[in-house]
Amino acid sequence: MRIQIVMSLVGRLLYIFGIFTLIPFIYGIVFETAYWSFLITTSLSLGLGRLLSYYGRESQSFSLRDGFLVVSSTWILTIILGALPFFGSGVLTNVFDALFEATSGITATGATIIYSVDDIPKTFVLWRGLMHWIGGMGIIVLILSFLKNLGADAAHFFNAEASVPKPGVVMPRIQSMASKLWRLYVAFTALCFLMLWAGGIEPFDALNYAFSIIATGGFAPTSAGAFIYEQSNYICFVFVFFMILAGGNFSVYYNALQKGIRVLIDDFETRMYWLVIFIGIAIISISLAVQSNINDPIQIFRDVSFNYVSIQTGSGFAVSDYDLWPAAAQMMLFISSFFGGCSGSTTGGVKIIRLIILVKSSIIYLRKSIHPDMVQVVRINGKPMPTKWIQMTQQFLFLYLMIYVVSVFLMTCTGLNIYDSMQVVTAFLSNVGLGFGGFGPTDSFTVMPDAAKCIAIVDMLLGRLELFTILVMLHPQFWEGYFIKKQSAKRYRIL
């Protein structure tokens, strides 16, 4: 059965995830106390991985369907396993709370259900940061860097985890590319940690902030989040720099290290990403300067750049209460939460490349309305964009809006008002983790009813896996051939 190929690979992936769950267990033994829920999670992960591998079948031939199933199964299983330490130890006594926290962590959303982070053991603070860091670059990309001899078809797993257009990116050796991306990811994390530590943050907190910043997550090691550093321009701008860095395309960064900084400047998506950030900061800064009582230009620039970059990239941090800002500034922040960063980044949202494709294809459509015989194609970095990517982008936007509307409606059915429903769905589906009003930067999502938490879990997973990876499995034809044994060809001897 073809499902055995998927079982074998998912089992191998669970081995690696189980090793990561040992890290907080060892930390607890050394610095606090032994939290056996982590060891139990490790045992379950390794045991389930062993079971799937035993009944599975290894192969080097994979289809895109296999990629979708492996990616979806791995993410769902790691979320369940990631929730077990919270629930098993009693840190979170509600199973929905534990699943919410794990989903928010692994999808790097950063919306927390824990009201006071200062009251939970540091072992679990470390686990929250690790979940961000594991899921930030993508679980499959992480694990592909460990697994060897998967063959050229392993690219299907990479494409299934992030179905965003990748213009001009050629991946003949996907496992080699995964290893390079993760080495760069580790290097950025280490550099961020060192710079935060140099700014006076304690090493444990600096490490957890680095995990969250580079993963564009939002979990903080303290209840105060980034608010406690609002008077430190150095720390605030370290945050801003690395949040912008994490929102860029890691493949482009790697090429820039190999060929020079000119690669970054020549990449059209990167330039548009920087331009969108600059315009957003400028608009909100003008709004605050004109409509607020803040007279310090440095404070305005610091607060605006921090909060705007954090929300656009889905980093989930805040250095000031933007709920007190003028309506125009808040509206600009709300709009930016849909943008996200570049393709190949750790951010959620629609992504800049999709916005570019939509804008360019719309302009071409308007031109063809005037000149029907005109032949023109969408080009990114001088290369024509395949029609299938344009169609996929249009379908993504349609599905995104449809899921958004349905989710808002379902949220209202749980008892939330329309305003809260719209902004929390935006926070979850775009993996931002920050909302407005009752779910703003100074609040948690504890007060949401369990039904709303379930909707949030689905939205966070859909947003992180670019919609298609999960939705495609709802089609009945997706499962054809997976549970049917392959018949061996019969041989007939001619007498």
Side-chain angles (χ1 to χ4, degrees):
M1 294 184 293
R2 189 157 190 84
I3 192 65
Q4 291 177 295
I5 298 175
V6 174
M7 291 167 58
S8 176
L9 191 53
V10 172
R12 294 163 69 184
L13 302 179
L14 290 180
Y15 283 149
I16 300 172
F17 182 77
I19 294 173
F20 275 97
T21 58
L22 278 176
I23 296 175
F25 177 72
I26 294 172
Y27 176 89
I29 291 177
V30 175
F31 296 102
E32 291 186 328
T33 185
Y35 291 98
W36 297 103
S37 57
F38 285 103
L39 189 60
I40 293 172
T41 302
T42 300
S43 301
L44 287 174
S45 184
L46 297 178
L48 182 58
R50 173 59 181 153
L51 185 67
L52 292 174
S53 298
Y54 179 79
Y55 287 103
R57 176 166 56 89
E58 292 188 10
S59 174
Q60 288 188 341
S61 177
F62 307 101
S63 66
L64 185 56
R65 276 201 306 163
D66 296 334
F68 285 133
L69 188 52
V70 168
V71 169
S72 300
S73 302
T74 303
W75 277 82
I76 292 172
L77 287 173
T78 51
I79 285 172
I80 295 172
L81 290 169
L84 288 179
F86 292 110
F87 186 70
S89 63
V91 170
L92 294 173
T93 56
N94 185 328
V95 66
F96 297 108
D97 289 352
L99 287 171
F100 181 99
E101 195 76 8
T103 306
S104 182
I106 292 176
T107 60
T109 301
T112 185
I113 210 75
I114 299 173
Y115 185 77
S116 177
V117 178
D118 297 326
D119 294 335
I120 66 174
K122 285 192 173 182
T123 301
F124 292 90
V125 174
L126 177 62
W127 178 232
R128 292 165 85 239
L130 268 176
M131 286 194 298
H132 267 347
W133 197 70
I134 293 169
M137 179 58 70
I139 294 175
I140 300 302
V141 178
L142 163 65
I143 294 173
L144 282 176
S145 63
F146 284 93
L147 299 181
K148 305 298 179 185
N149 303 320
L150 291 179
D153 288 345
H156 290 313
F157 304 127
F158 190 91
N159 293 329
E161 189 167 55
S163 57
V164 66
K166 294 173 275 289
V169 177
V170 180
M171 297 177 291
R173 300 180 62 185
I174 186 64
Q175 289 169 283
S176 175
M177 175 62 74
S179 298
K180 293 172 182 175
L181 292 180
W182 263 91
R183 285 199 294 269
L184 191 61
Y185 189 65
V186 171
F188 285 169
T189 305
L191 182 59
C192 182
F193 163 73
L194 292 174
M195 293 185 69
L196 291 174
W197 189 13
I201 300 180
E202 293 294 324
F204 179 85
D205 290 349
L207 179 62
N208 280 278
Y209 277 121
F211 283 156
S212 293
I213 293 170
I214 301 302
T216 60
F219 280 162
T222 65
S223 299
F227 279 89
I228 56 178
Y229 306 114
E230 61 180 331
Q231 300 302 321
S232 173
N233 291 334
Y234 170 80
I235 292 177
C236 285
F237 287 116
V238 168
F239 268 74
V240 172
F241 172 77
F242 281 102
M243 286 189 293
I244 294 176
L245 191 69
N249 190 323
F250 278 68
S251 298
V252 174
Y253 290 153
Y254 183 81
N255 290 333
L257 291 175
Q258 298 294 312
K259 302 176 183 178
I261 195 67
R262 188 70 192 178
V263 173
L264 279 175
I265 300 173
D266 291 340
D267 184 68
F268 186 70
E269 183 188 15
T270 300
R271 295 202 307 271
M272 290 301 101
Y273 169 60
W274 292 343
L275 180 62
V276 169
I277 290 177
F278 174 79
I279 293 174
I281 291 175
I283 291 175
I284 299 178
S285 296
I286 293 172
S287 174
L288 283 183
V290 174
Q291 298 179 300
S292 72
N293 297 323
I294 304 175
N295 298 318
D296 185 357
I298 296 178
Q299 181 184 350
I300 290 176
F301 178 72
R302 181 194 64 209
D303 292 355
V304 170
S305 59
F306 190 106
N307 290 340
Y308 180 85
V309 170
S310 177
I311 289 182
Q312 180 179 323
T313 60
S315 296
F317 294 106
V319 78
S320 60
D321 190 357
Y322 51 75
D323 276 331
L324 304 177
W325 288 2
Q330 291 188 48
M331 189 62 196
M332 189 64 205
L333 287 177
F334 179 75
I335 294 172
S336 70
S337 62
F338 292 95
F339 293 164
C342 299
S343 58
S345 69
T346 61
T347 63
V350 175
K351 298 288 197 319
I352 298 298
I353 187 63
R354 289 195 180 100
L355 297 177
I356 293 172
I357 292 173
L358 289 170
V359 170
K360 285 198 168 190
S361 60
S362 297
I363 292 173
I364 290 176
Y365 180 81
L366 292 175
R367 288 176 179 172
K368 286 186 176 182
S369 298
I370 302 172
H371 305 287
D373 297 328
M374 182 187 69
V375 178
Q376 195 171 359
V377 297
V378 175
R379 292 181 178 273
I380 306 293
N381 293 334
K383 299 178 180 179
M385 179 64 61
T387 303
K388 70 174 184 178
W389 283 119
I390 298 175
Q391 294 173 344
M392 184 176 289
T393 301
Q394 294 168 344
Q395 288 299 312
F396 176 88
L397 182 62
F398 167 74
L399 289 172
Y400 191 93
L401 293 175
M402 183 181 71
I403 293 170
Y404 182 85
V405 171
V406 172
S407 298
V408 169
F409 172 74
L410 293 176
M411 282 290 185
T412 59
C413 293
T414 67
L416 299 181
N417 60 48
I418 296 176
Y419 173 76
D420 285 341
S421 298
M422 289 181 64
Q423 51 98 7
V424 296
V425 169
T426 303
F428 299 138
L429 195 57
S430 296
N431 300 124
V432 174
L434 281 177
F436 296 83
F439 300 99
T442 59
D443 303 282
S444 75
F445 292 84
T446 308
V447 296
M448 285 202 314
D450 289 342
K453 294 170 188 174
C454 293
I455 299 168
I457 290 170
V458 174
D459 282 346
M460 286 187 283
L461 188 58
L462 283 172
R464 182 60 183 86
L465 295 183
E466 309 283 352
L467 307 184
F468 295 111
T469 305
I470 298 292
L471 295 179
V472 71
M473 294 194 301
L474 300 179
H475 198 288
Q477 291 182 355
F478 177 87
W479 300 98
E480 290 182 358
Y482 268 109
F483 300 97
I484 300 176
K485 289 186 177 181
K486 186 178 180 180
Q487 299 294 328
S488 59
K490 294 182 179 180
R491 295 183 177 180
Y492 297 92
R493 188 173 67 177
I494 301 176
L495 299 176

